[in-house]
Amino acid sequence: MEFHRKLRYGMVGGGPGAFIGEVHRMAAALDGHMELVAGAFSSSKEKSDKMGKQLQLDNDRVYGSFKEMAEKEAALPEDERIDFVSVVTPNHLHYPVCKAFIEQGIHVVCDKPLTNTIEEAEELCRLVEKHDVVFGLTHTYTGYPMVKQAREMIWDNKLGKLRKIVVEYPQGWLSEPIEQEGAKQAEWRTDPDKAGISSAVGDIGTHAENLVEYITGLKMQKLYADITSFVEGRKLEDDANLLVHYEQGVKAILYCSQISVGEENDLKIRIYGTDASLEWGQENPNYLYVRYPDRPEEIYKRGNPYLSEIANFNNRIPPGHPEGFIEAFANIYMNVGRTILAKEKGVELNRFSTDFPTVYDGAVGVHFIHKTIESGKKNEWVDMNYSPGSG
Amino acid sequence: MEFHRKLRYGMVGGGPGAFIGEVHRMAAALDGHMELVAGAFSSSKEKSDKMGKQLQLDNDRVYGSFKEMAEKEAALPEDERIDFVSVVTPNHLHYPVCKAFIEQGIHVVCDKPLTNTIEEAEELCRLVEKHDVVFGLTHTYTGYPMVKQAREMIWDNKLGKLRKIVVEYPQGWLSEPIEQEGAKQAEWRTDPDKAGISSAVGDIGTHAENLVEYITGLKMQKLYADITSFVEGRKLEDDANLLVHYEQGVKAILYCSQISVGEENDLKIRIYGTDASLEWGQENPNYLYVRYPDRPEEIYKRGNPYLSEIANFNNRIPPGHPEGFIEAFANIYMNVGRTILAKEKGVELNRFSTDFPTVYDGAVGVHFIHKTIESGKKNEWVDMNYSPGSG
Amino acid sequence: MEFHRKLRYGMVGGGPGAFIGEVHRMAAALDGHMELVAGAFSSSKEKSDKMGKQLQLDNDRVYGSFKEMAEKEAALPEDERIDFVSVVTPNHLHYPVCKAFIEQGIHVVCDKPLTNTIEEAEELCRLVEKHDVVFGLTHTYTGYPMVKQAREMIWDNKLGKLRKIVVEYPQGWLSEPIEQEGAKQAEWRTDPDKAGISSAVGDIGTHAENLVEYITGLKMQKLYADITSFVEGRKLEDDANLLVHYEQGVKAILYCSQISVGEENDLKIRIYGTDASLEWGQENPNYLYVRYPDRPEEIYKRGNPYLSEIANFNNRIPPGHPEGFIEAFANIYMNVGRTILAKEKGVELNRFSTDFPTVYDGAVGVHFIHKTIESGKKNEWVDMNYSPGSG
Amino acid sequence: MEFHRKLRYGMVGGGPGAFIGEVHRMAAALDGHMELVAGAFSSSKEKSDKMGKQLQLDNDRVYGSFKEMAEKEAALPEDERIDFVSVVTPNHLHYPVCKAFIEQGIHVVCDKPLTNTIEEAEELCRLVEKHDVVFGLTHTYTGYPMVKQAREMIWDNKLGKLRKIVVEYPQGWLSEPIEQEGAKQAEWRTDPDKAGISSAVGDIGTHAENLVEYITGLKMQKLYADITSFVEGRKLEDDANLLVHYEQGVKAILYCSQISVGEENDLKIRIYGTDASLEWGQENPNYLYVRYPDRPEEIYKRGNPYLSEIANFNNRIPPGHPEGFIEAFANIYMNVGRTILAKEKGVELNRFSTDFPTVYDGAVGVHFIHKTIESGKKNEWVDMNYSPGSG
């Protein structure tokens, strides 16, 4: 699927100093097929304007509120208005912002977690179906070529019947009460009004949860969570250790932590089957380690012809020239873009091009967050059977 | 503490084909201070003789039963009889064998787990106290210099207040039902009559448990275990995932597995404090990784002058010349030997020389195994407060 | 230095299937400050048009020859014509293309090696001076933040007096005679008419040479090269092992290879001083290893506050979120861009913003290539004292 | 080949504080088949006695000179006298000590380099032949199982035709003039009267040279050496960078260094053929990395059934339980021992049991050292065709 035209997009959130907004912009820009043309970068019109200027946007397309933006963009001629919006606000705004644009028939890329409540998440599923928009959720890690390779190998039954999964996501950045010392990112991430009921699970645990489901296709059946708020005065948990049972008898450990001092962003997954096992880690993402009971360990390396078609579909540069986080992010943007254009032209896409996390993955994630916190508070196993959306 | 004379030792178990008996012999031999002079290598006199011959022992000192050996050795003149016995039988024999020798006043080195029941373990504690013998338990991993370095750094408060521990011990060797296909090691390890109530937890989980306690000094307060027997027809669990609460609010994940295909012996521990964290892995044992919130990660390397005194006390060769499993094992033997000789001479030893796992560590381990299986079967948290022995 | 406007650029070369053209376009696009508006992507007007269409360029700005492009772009109004041109052709065209644009006063980003002859390289130096244009050369590896960190540490004398350098650049992609089997990249890289007098040294050895000079600031004094063409029928060398003497008594090994089967792109440098040493490798670029005689090895990690200012000036995303090759490439583009804009506005830039390889580095590289091949052919040490340009 | 009796050995050198003597003793002791019964540990009778006592030797067997020891041991009854001697003195004594024992018909294990002059080395070859003794040289690194695996894979043509070799041996321990500050090891290693004409090449370069020849079977044809003495006042070179041409057109880089600050003992070899390449490093010795042009890299791991027979013949413990330097050393001792016993019994051994470095390897090494220094001093390529001994 070639891009026969550049897509125009707008952004809500991502004002000065917001890390993730900048990442979204770089990801969208990387391949030269998307152009940022509008934005409501802040709830302060002044700040939004400043950011718009810095980004060299036409000031007419810079808005002081997402509502105004949704309405005005929708009112523009079809070949001028944004094709989709990127929602990169704190969590509590995901729902109203997404809703506003979906209702205008504008496609959406939204950061995770999808929403702060299960009800909101399900409402977004319904709205996406009703308005028939494309909705991508930036579970970035699914965009890495070697994650797609892992998934393909499991689909091809290279691991045999799966038995055990260990997925971990340690970070250390919240090991001190920096939210009480003026760190903006930390402030909203640990504030229930903005982050919702969870800090660690909502911000990173849900990436781990999504990664397992993406790679293995397995659904959770039940989980038990041991959650802790280690930092004094913190209102939300900053550490969670989970026992998880997946369908087909697969047992798992899943943990996430924001107080693991010295860890940066070490999302790592190991999956064990009867015939082989594999390991992938986000800090060393160009390699996939495959282990066997009876022959040498193998290191699969990004960009090589021996990889699966889908891994190479998501590859940009030759082996040995490392790709990173932004490129993985861009893969999600590109596939959302291909899907939008295919919809426009009425063509069918191959499964590679439609391979990005959706509003349903988002709802599963929100459900996971809520159930994890519920389990942690009740000290009980909780049932996880859940299928969002009308399907 | 110099060795002013060679120690004589005997061995119970460790007949032809037994992996661990051979390791004990190499560990005892390495430094030239211990000599194997007697053995009951098998319950078959014929096999025991064969092994004795292979080891070039005087046939008078090769026995058909451990009871005979204990009695006859004790009856020998003091400068001829064994100073200590190495017990390397399957688990169910640890108790009667140790008992027989302790009651003769003979010192003991015993493989882990100490015994198959808590009662037996406690009885051994009492016997050791009563007969005032030296008792070493081969939790090998505590013998590694870099493990001792880790412990010392925590004692010196380099990590600040501890918060979280992740300790894992994945193996893959029992991922097929090889005990049903004639593999000797696998047969007894999965046979409740010999291995006791547990396979994975008893064989390797207890190493993980001991390693945490050794390094941090923390006692378990409660645990929750999710245990599984993945291989059809297997009578004992081959996988266990645990949530553990230690004293002082420290939370932990501990897991062990014998069905993690492709894993060899990857015992690994990560410990997170408020000020720093550390990581050590058994397959790469000469290095200790220390991470900080605000400066570069450090790699401590075995054999260097900048290490703690106790790490270098347990070191043999210069940096960059790798030491391994046998050397760690030998460190336990050496310290047991030093303690035996110090007792003989009535001298006081420094804390380095008496640093080896004891019968009490063994009892804690047996208690841990039983409580883990209890938790796993009841699906409940179990209380872990436990102090074996009279102290 | 903010980008107060988007820069417009054109491209010469980079038609369908050309790996490096695509990389240049992604690098330029990443930060949203540069827009591709013109191109002569191929010497075939048809192919050039096709590429222009694929890139959604205005067809008026797509040219069939670089000469036409240089002339016509120069004739456009100042606020419309390209600010700079990216030259991504095979090597033999670098000179005429660069010349054509420089003479029109258009700034240049050019791939390495600068030219195929020393005379051409020096002529470009003169032209750049005469026409006062900004000229950036894409020695990509100098764009990595951790390379800049390495340089800064040496400038800050953290390593003491330098003594020894080992720099290696093994690749395996030309281990078979694929240029005889239709591989386009391989065809021109091994064709003296296009690649010049060298294959391995010209393509990758010069990166190694530049990396040393960039990080240490040392100039070569003499070198001895052992060059080989391992693949039958290949006209240029595919492997070169060099002994190099730098000023101040520093000794070095430098090697590059295109027949090192199984290697991807493993440029690696180790620098030893009297007080410390460091190691950086391109396949794992977010980490810098620093070793001391008397304390633990340190791992410096991209994106952390403890790094030097210049390392973080060239950083995009937080620690633990890997950056890669494209980001390093983009750093060169960004600094060239900042320098162009500063020139336009008449402002002075800090040293961070002007930190990119120049036409002079290019001339040094071309000189290095020629002298290396000369040494290899004569089996003699060759003198390397060389300073290009008027300065 | 079982050991039907314990071998008795004596030691010359290895007094208090000598690192390598202790390593030899541990290596010989490890498997329980050899017993140290005699020694001339120092040229001072007093020091020798002290060491003998510390090692609990019978004082009758502790000598004040190697000559006395050779004579008196030879005069003992056959079932009492030493079977072989371990020579662990500084280099200049290797020749007279070995000669003395060989002439008494006593087998020898000698440290490397064999002697300080080529003439002495050749004389030892002649004496070994004349007196028909077994002579083992402790090029330790050939004792590692994964080095033997590498050799076997090359013999089995898994790499195709060999093309290029990179072997490096950086150390940092002599980066300061510690020989002028009382460091014993450093004193004799840098003293021409004891170490011979070379420091770095003689001590470690020769290990690199031997490793290449051992693994590949290739003979050197010529070499060019760039040698340096970086530390002021040092009489011998502490760094050497070599270009080497092997037979069959194989090109190599070989370097060794004692001033590479922060390096410990990082002997590493990479071998490239037409079909695959392999890498092994001494600091991580249980793993062998094999790379292919068209499929995933493989990691071969010590102790696994998929390895070659000879690798597992030299293995002691299961995969994942690391073996190290002492075990590699012990493999050389064991094979020397097997060969001595086979000679005694008049049986033929398989090739595994006779696989240890010999006096001829030693002569090749001494020749290499001399030619390297010659090349370094003359700044010329030197011819390397050389076959020691009568064969």
Side-chain angles (χ1 to χ4, degrees), chain A residues 13 21 55 84 106 148 150-151 165 181-182 197 216 246 263 267-268 310 312 314 318 326 387-388:
Chain A
L55 294 166
F84 70 93
I106 295 173
K148 294 180 188 287
R151 181 196 211 190
I165 297 166
E181 296 152 12
I197 60 165
T216 68
Y246 285 91
E263 301 283 3
L267 172 61
K268 189 175 289 176
I310 194 171
N312 285 332
N314 287 279
I326 297 172
S387 283

Side-chain angles (χ1 to χ4, degrees), chain A residues 295-299 301 306, chain D residues 295-299 301:
Chain A
R295 56 192 177 99
E297 177 169 339
E298 289 178 339
I299 311 178
K301 305 184 183 183
Y306 57 70
Chain D
R295 55 191 176 100
E297 177 170 337
E298 288 178 340
I299 312 178
K301 305 185 182 183

Side-chain angles (χ1 to χ4, degrees), chain B residues 219-271:
Chain B
K219 287 186 186 308
M220 284 189 184
Q221 290 197 323
K222 57 180 191 165
L223 66 76
Y224 184 97
D226 189 13
I227 65 175
T228 311
S229 182
F230 277 105
V231 172
E232 209 171 66
R234 183 159 292 160
K235 290 171 193 148
L236 299 173
E237 97 290 353
D238 46 28
D239 190 87
N241 300 330
L242 280 73
L243 303 172
V244 185
H245 291 189
Y246 285 91
E247 54 186 350
Q248 299 171 26
V250 176
K251 299 288 184 77
I253 290 171
L254 183 157
Y255 79 83
C256 58
S257 176
Q258 295 168 321
I259 54 83
S260 294
V261 164
E263 300 282 4
E264 299 190 334
N265 197 47
D266 203 10
L267 172 62
K268 189 174 290 176
I269 188 165
R270 285 172 282 177
I271 302 175

